[in-house]
Amino acid sequence: MTTPSSTTSQKHKAFSGEPMRDKPVEDLAGIGSVLASRLREQGFNKAYNVLGQFLLLEMDQELFCDWLKDTIKANSKQAKDCHACLKAWCDEFL
């Protein structure tokens, strides 16, 4: 799914426009404080931990979104927003 830049959130733009470094999971588009807490409970403390899972799932939208839904109870929009954010970051920096 391609997200037009006019509908891309500020959070998405901020995340995907610069190196990841030690960004917290809350900086990922689609991930708010509740989902971030659930990710941390699962051992995903930093955005780069979630990126690792994203890459293990071969950047596949369906697999990654299903993983987010199953692991932290993200809804479809949250999962798709997070996937799009990580995909844009990979397109820019990998």
Side-chain angles (χ1 to χ4, degrees), residues 2-89:
T2 304
T3 305
S5 60
S6 62
T7 61
T8 302
S9 72
Q10 287 298 108
K11 196 172 183 182
H12 174 112
K13 289 176 187 176
F15 185 87
S16 61
E18 61 187 29
M20 192 169 301
R21 295 189 179 87
D22 282 339
K23 290 183 181 185
V25 291
E26 293 92 340
D27 284 4
L28 291 163
I31 305 297
S33 60
V34 172
L35 295 183
S37 176
R38 292 177 188 165
L39 279 167
R40 283 191 294 274
E41 287 171 9
Q42 297 295 320
F44 296 89
N45 297 308
K46 300 288 185 178
Y48 59 74
N49 299 130
V50 180
L51 173 66
Q53 184 66 26
F54 176 78
L55 294 172
L56 284 172
L57 296 172
E58 299 181 0
M59 301 190 290
D60 182 89
Q61 182 178 16
E62 183 177 354
L63 291 174
F64 183 74
C65 289
D66 285 347
W67 174 77
L68 281 176
K69 291 175 194 176
D70 293 342
T71 305
I72 61 168
K73 308 294 185 239
N75 65 35
S76 292
K77 183 185 183 323
Q78 292 164 327
K80 286 179 182 176
D81 287 351
C82 187
H83 176 274
C85 180
L86 287 170
K87 177 77 170 75
W89 188 90

